[in-house]
Amino acid sequence: MNSPPLNDLTERAREIFRLVVEGYLDSGSPVGSKALAGEGRVNLSPASIRNVLADLEARGLLSAPHTSAGRMPTDTGLRLFVDAMMQVAEPTREERDAIEQRLGEPGPIERALEETSALLSDLSGAAGMVMVPTREPRLVQVSLTALDTHRVLAVLVGEDGQIENRIIALPAEALGTSLEQASNYLTARSAGRTLAEAASAVEEEIASGKSALDEASSDLVRRGLATWSEDAAKRPVMIVRGQANLLDEAALGDIERVRSLLDDLESKQSVASLLERARRAEAMRIFIGSENRLFSLSGSSVIASPYRDRDGRVVGVLGVIGPTRLNYARVVPMVDFTARSLGKRIG
């Protein structure tokens, strides 16, 4: 969704636009010209303010949900505000201490993840979400063992002692494949690497013709790595807390939107796929309303940030989901600080 450049607006239009957005985010209600003039923050008559509001509406930045009921920002307007005008309010020392204390309590990492989701909900007044870290241990060994003429058992051993296995279906032309050769090749290329790193290195070597594997062995190696990668991609686990926060007075006036949002949260796989976009980008992402097809009906916003382990690797994503009138200026830095705090806790 492309918003017009900020410098396309006059200084007066920018100030009125900012006041409308901040007023809407604070109250959840449209802001009218009389309110702007009456508060004395705009030195213009209500008629002049209405002209500016009409221009902002024509530009697609504001909308009037009801006649004479004031204006509220569109998703495009919110995007412009968030990207170009918002002044974030950094967490206070007390808030930072509270976050670090709650996440620093001893116990299993699962408890810290649950605590993080609840913490995000408390801080934002919306629903908090945390994707459980994807386990990507560095590998020690890969072995392939024939089960029968059509199936091979692949076993991966990680440096942390984790052992996982998968069954790989073999095509008829792979019956003569040397499993020992393929196993040795995989172990040599994957030792000390994560699965993703090993898959990238193997694919590059096979594509360049430097693998010294015959065609059948190359196919088996690719099938094995693809099976593991695909399986890992299908297993995102997400913790959601604070759904009840979405049922505030403003939301009850639009119960269909809330029902749609709760349905979205119930379908965690879809929401997890959205959060993966923040994980792949390795940076904070803000999804506003209809910018994302998943939330086009519920009119919701998501603020998501990846969190990292001690080596700086992205291991998961956390965030907040709620109506588009989230307090972005406060929630964005809060999500960012919580992500950094959780990363320290994971180590």
Side-chain angles (χ1 to χ4, degrees), residues 72-125:
M72 57 187 287
T74 62
D75 292 347
T76 301
L78 283 174
R79 173 55 63 189
L80 176 64
F81 176 79
V82 167
D83 289 348
M85 302 182 70
M86 181 175 70
Q87 295 181 337
V88 298
E90 293 296 331
T92 65
R93 179 73 261 176
E94 291 75 16
E95 289 170 332
R96 295 196 300 270
D97 289 344
I99 292 171
E100 291 179 334
Q101 180 179 353
R102 285 182 66 174
L103 298 187
E105 294 178 358
I109 190 61
E110 290 77 14
R111 183 184 303 168
L113 296 173
E114 293 268 359
E115 193 67 34
T116 299
S117 184
L119 178 62
L120 287 169
S121 175
D122 293 343
L123 293 172
S124 66

Side-chain angles (χ1 to χ4, degrees), residues 167-243:
I167 295 176
I168 305 171
L170 288 177
E173 61 270 20
L175 295 180
T177 299
S178 171
L179 296 183
E180 183 179 0
Q181 180 191 25
S183 292
N184 292 339
Y185 175 83
L186 281 171
T187 295
R189 271 57 179 187
S190 60
R193 290 170 165 158
T194 66
L195 177 62
E197 292 168 347
S200 177
V202 167
E203 182 58 39
E204 182 178 347
E205 189 167 300
I206 291 177
S208 66
K210 300 177 181 178
S211 67
L213 293 173
D214 57 32
E215 185 175 345
S217 295
S218 295
D219 181 65
L220 177 58
V221 166
R222 280 175 162 144
R223 283 174 178 271
L225 291 172
T227 297
W228 284 94
S229 300
E230 180 182 4
D231 179 75
K234 289 180 177 178
R235 292 185 299 167
V237 179
M238 189 171 68
I239 301 170
V240 181
R241 293 292 180 270
Q243 292 96 320

Side-chain angles (χ1 to χ4, degrees), residues 5-23:
L6 188 62
N7 56 17
D8 281 0
L9 303 178
T10 65
E11 184 176 347
R12 182 172 66 179
R14 269 180 275 178
E15 179 63 11
I16 291 176
F17 173 68
R18 181 183 65 80
L19 291 173
V20 170
V21 175
E22 290 178 348

Side-chain angles (χ1 to χ4, degrees), residues 126-146:
M129 304 179 294
V130 176
M131 281 189 66
V132 174
T134 53
R135 293 184 59 83
E136 294 185 301
R138 299 199 172 269
L139 303 174
V140 173
Q141 181 181 357
V142 180
S143 64
L144 302 172
T145 305

